[in-house]
Amino acid sequence: MTLALDHIQIAIPKGGEDQCRAFWGELVGLCEIPKPKTLQARGGLWYALAGAELHLGVEEPFAPALKAHPGFRTTDIAALAARLETAGHALTWDTTIKGRERFFTKDPFGNRLEFLQEN
């Protein structure tokens, strides 16, 4: 048996889709993919990742994930960090893992996110 990541889901509040498009689509640069018609009434959005998907699902009542977080690998962490900072997102850089340049930030709803690049 093998196990691979198919998707990750991050909770968003009801009506947060436009903020998601601005953050994940425009700022981070992900490509939105259509949700199956049978799931569209639930709200939320899906994005393509390299080899997996990011699902942003409506959760009520909403509470951001403050400790648990996804870690997104990138090939240009400096450019991504610059875009996020320019847009007003605070970054916390972390050097505790050798061979990984990484920072933490939050999405528009306060969910903790990690972005990293292997050196």
Side-chain angles (χ1 to χ4, degrees):
M1 181 180 103
T2 60
L3 201 59
L5 182 67
D6 178 80
H7 69 275
I8 58 170
Q9 181 161 312
I10 298 174
I12 65 169
K14 184 176 182 178
E17 289 85 358
D18 287 343
Q19 288 175 278
C20 287
R21 285 186 177 100
F23 183 82
W24 292 105
E26 296 171 26
L27 192 56
V28 177
L30 297 181
C31 180
E32 186 176 344
I33 56 177
K35 287 181 67 170
K37 289 192 185 299
T38 55
L39 300 178
Q40 289 176 2
R42 297 179 184 179
L45 304 166
W46 288 10
Y47 285 92
L49 299 172
E53 297 174 355
L54 170 61
H55 296 179
L56 303 166
V58 173
E59 184 173 10
E60 294 183 280
F62 171 76
L66 303 177
K67 176 69 175 170
H69 65 277
F72 296 98
R73 187 177 302 135
T74 181
T75 56
D76 195 347
I77 199 161
L80 178 58
R83 288 196 311 271
L84 289 166
E85 284 185 314
T86 298
H89 292 273
L91 309 183
T92 303
W93 288 90
D94 185 281
T95 58
T96 57
I97 301 177
K98 185 178 178 179
R100 290 186 178 185
E101 189 173 0
R102 69 186 188 144
F103 65 82
F104 293 90
T105 192
K106 294 181 179 177
D107 74 2
F109 313 110
N111 290 306
R112 186 176 191 217
L113 307 171
E114 177 182 351
F115 293 94
L116 64 101
Q117 181 173 344
E118 294 186 22
N119 297 331

